[in-house]
Amino acid sequence: MKSKKDLPFQYILIITAIEAERDAIVRGLLKALPNEVCGEVEGPLRRVGRCIVVAGGVGPASAAASTALAIAGGPSLRYVISAGIGGGFPGAAPIGSVVVASEIVAADLGAETAQGFASVDELGFGSWRVPVDRARAEELAAALRAGGLEATAAPVLTLSTVTGSAETAAELLRRVPGAAAEAMEGYGVATAASMQGIEAMEIRAISNAVGPRDRDAWRIGDALAALERTGMILPEVLDIR
């Protein structure tokens, strides 16, 4: 399939799950691009310069469908980014930090067997991983750290059901050693982008620890603030000023 990476006038498509995440990204972009205004103020889509930001719904299926629709109906794209808040694995990604995916993994895409979980790769039905440009992920994480955020580049897991126990958290780390964050949309977004030959990325601002659910410990406001600051840094790192 033809790649769009060398076409002129390229845009960046950013897919979030919900409006609060979209609006945080937009606020950051407007600060980074002060000569731009926010267009398309009706519906789920916003435009800031050459950035298109869409609230595409929760979960990998909604995310994939929204991404495919935006790609089909929009301009030439250089990157497609899944962005939003997520859970951080203790010791790898504290609350308020940012994880840039060095790999996007559908960590529950497979089958249970007598020997334990088997990924679709092991079953011979495709792949549970979408590769990303690791050097670019590291570059963005370094830029975020230079901007005052705690940030790392590491695998980000996509799950249809997010984790609620220490046992499940441990099992996920067994499946994907080094994983730093989990969310619900990245694999769907990245799959839709890769089918069109467009480079995919994922960015997660951490609102809670992966493991037993403790709503009192969640810091969604802190994560959205980190997401906004990420939006301020994206244009320079991805050369879209």
Side-chain angles (χ1 to χ4, degrees), residues 23-49:
D23 294 346
I25 290 284
V26 167
R27 288 193 300 271
L29 291 172
L30 288 170
K31 290 176 181 177
L33 304 168
N35 294 325
E36 301 289 349
V37 297
C38 181
E40 303 283 346
V41 295
E42 298 293 333
L45 185 148
R46 303 288 184 269
R47 289 177 184 261
V48 180

Side-chain angles (χ1 to χ4, degrees), residues 129-181:
R129 300 173 185 264
V130 178
V132 303
D133 186 325
R134 296 192 180 205
R136 201 177 316 282
E138 293 281 3
E139 179 186 9
L140 177 54
L144 293 171
R145 290 192 295 270
L149 286 166
E150 185 171 355
T152 188
V156 176
L157 310 185
T158 300
L159 300 164
S160 294
T161 302
V162 293
T163 303
S165 71
E167 292 77 14
T168 300
E171 167 62 16
L172 291 172
L173 288 175
R174 186 195 66 77
R175 294 179 192 176
V176 187

